[in-house]
Amino acid sequence: MTSRDRVNFSKFTQKQAVSTAAKHEMLYAGRMGGARAVFAHCDLSGLDLSGRDLADADFTGAILEETNLTGTRLESASFAGADLRRSNLSGAALRRADLRGASLLGANLIGADLYEADLREGKIGDEEQPNADSAHIRRVRPTELSSALFHSANLERARMTGAVALQADFTDAVMKGCELARADLRQAKFVGANLECADLTACDISRANLEGAILVGARLTEATLDGVDLSRALSAAASGRALADLTVSIEDVLASHSRWIDTDGTEGQPADLSDLDLRTLKSLAHRQLTALIAPRAMLYGVDLEGVSLQGANLAGADLRGTRLVGADLRGINLSGAKLDGADLRDAQLGPLLISDARLLTSRLDGALARYTDFRGTDLRRVRLSNADLSYANLVDADLKDTELGNATLIGTRLPVMLMESNPSLTAVRSR
């Protein structure tokens, strides 16, 4: 948009923008004097609205070029046709926001929450008549996401049909159920992204990088895949050893393991499930799997609620998206494991007493646990050094004597008491 195009846009000063935002916050707090923030067809370029509560505000057709909206609450806000080029929306809450036809060229949306956001094509009004009503709408344009940064963003069930996202960065983004049909994704980066059940029908993904991405259930009908990097991508195909390669059935293996536990080792034998793809089991909920040997096993999406895995070896295992609610994981080895998006609420990961004088501590050192739910989890003495806990939820977790050395805590929700006793963690979380 040129300077001439901006002539008819009301230019806000920083003071005016802050005043309007304050009145909006007053309205939603139920205080007298409040009013909804309406920035439609206004020029807010370069201003700072970071950390404000602007949920449901109207930014239709507004100019927000290089505007600072870091950590701003923008749920259900309207940005239809808005110019957000090079804006900073890192950590912003944009759940169900309307971004149809908006330009986010080069914008920073690292860690932003765009759950069910609408980024489809949008009807754009005449730029020479910014205040025109629907009768003057003249054209449809795609949402422009080229070179935008969506690293670790939540785009689950977002609607991005027809979007243009050339060279956009979706590294480690959550994109489950995302609608991307007909999108232009050439040279985009999806390293480690979760695209489970995403609709990529007729997309152009030429020369895109999907290394380590999750593509289970993703629809790629008529998609252009020239030069795509799919190394280590997870699909419905077996990853590692298949269960069919076992000389005995997996149920017999597990039954023998159960006998070994129940008889203190006099009958049966411990199960060795190293490198096995166990996804077809669907559920191992409430099974007794103490001391299980399963390094590098594939357990993506398997239901492990209430499972007993005390002293088990799952180093390097893939447990992304698994349900481990209430599981007994005392003394487990999850070093280097993938736990992104797993649900470990109320799980026990504290030390395992194996003799009067010896405690076996749980290991999650080097684990990937982004967006993992640890609410109410016992993490006493757990080794979490060098683990990636970005955007994980550790509210009400017991972190007494937990090792967090060099752990990545960007966007991590930590217990208030821990934050108060360790002020240095604030800086680490905002890196």
Side-chain angles (χ1 to χ4, degrees), residues 28 36 58 120 139 147 160 162 183 185 204 215 218 223 227 245 268 278 294 353 377 393:
Y28 283 84
R36 183 188 179 212
D58 186 0
R120 295 173 295 171
R139 63 194 177 93
S147 300
M160 302 171 66
L185 304 169
D204 189 345
L215 295 169
D245 296 335
L278 300 165
L353 180 64
T377 304
N393 191 344

Side-chain angles (χ1 to χ4, degrees), residues 19-72:
S19 176
T20 301
K23 289 180 179 179
H24 184 89
E25 291 168 336
M26 290 169 63
L27 173 67
Y28 283 84
R31 294 164 55 192
M32 294 291 291
R36 183 188 179 212
V38 178
F39 295 110
H41 306 293
C42 294
D43 186 350
L44 302 165
S45 55
L47 301 185
D48 186 352
L49 289 168
S50 59
R52 309 297 307 214
D53 186 348
L54 290 167
D56 201 40
D58 186 0
F59 295 92
T60 303
I63 303 171
L64 296 128
E65 189 174 347
E66 298 184 356
T67 300
N68 185 4
L69 293 160
T70 305
T72 305

Side-chain angles (χ1 to χ4, degrees), residues 11 46 49 60 69 99 115 120 122 204 223 263 291-292 316 331 346 370:
K11 174 62 179 175
L49 289 168
T60 303
L69 293 160
L99 290 149
Y115 178 82
R120 295 173 295 171
D204 189 345
T263 63
L292 179 71
D346 301 317
R370 295 168 293 230

Side-chain angles (χ1 to χ4, degrees), residues 132-331:
D133 58 25
S134 59
H136 292 94
I137 289 175
R138 64 171 185 171
R139 63 194 177 93
V140 174
R141 77 176 184 195
T143 301
E144 175 60 71
L145 307 174
S146 295
S147 300
L149 303 177
F150 289 93
H151 193 298
S152 300
N154 180 14
L155 287 153
E156 184 172 356
R157 295 179 62 178
R159 290 174 287 176
M160 302 171 66
T161 304
V164 176
L166 299 171
Q167 299 182 330
D169 187 352
F170 296 96
T171 299
D172 296 324
V174 179
M175 304 180 74
K176 296 171 68 174
C178 192
E179 298 176 13
L180 288 153
R182 297 183 288 101
D184 190 344
L185 304 169
R186 286 175 290 167
Q187 299 183 60
K189 190 174 181 181
F190 292 93
V191 177
N194 189 340
L195 287 153
E196 180 181 344
C197 296
D199 185 0
L200 293 154
T201 303
C203 282
D204 189 345
I205 322 176
S206 301
R207 299 183 300 284
N209 188 348
L210 281 88
E211 180 184 357
I214 297 172
L215 295 169
V216 178
R219 284 170 282 175
L220 290 158
T221 308
E222 298 182 7
T224 303
L225 302 170
D226 298 338
V228 173
D229 184 353
L230 290 166
S231 56
R232 298 190 300 106
L234 182 62
S235 64
S239 176
R241 290 195 298 151
L243 292 181
D245 296 335
L246 294 176
T247 56
V248 295
S249 71
I250 185 63
E251 283 302 327
D252 287 342
V253 172
L254 296 175
S256 180
H257 186 86
S258 294
R259 288 199 305 276
W260 177 72
I261 295 170
D262 294 339
T263 63
D264 292 325
T266 59
E267 296 180 24
Q269 61 182 11
D272 186 346
L273 307 181
S274 304
D275 302 294
L276 274 172
D277 189 334
L278 300 165
R279 286 179 290 166
T280 56
L281 293 179
K282 304 295 184 185
S283 176
L284 289 169
H286 305 289
R287 299 289 289 260
Q288 295 295 322
L289 299 172
T290 301
L292 179 71
I293 303 169
R296 301 172 302 282
M298 172 55 68
L299 287 152
Y300 173 78
V302 176
D303 185 359
L304 296 167
E305 181 176 1
V307 71
S308 294
L309 282 165
Q310 306 98 314
N313 180 7
L314 275 79
D318 192 334
L319 294 114
R320 287 176 290 179
T322 55
R323 180 175 169 81
L324 284 150
V325 176
D328 190 344
L329 309 174
R330 290 173 295 162

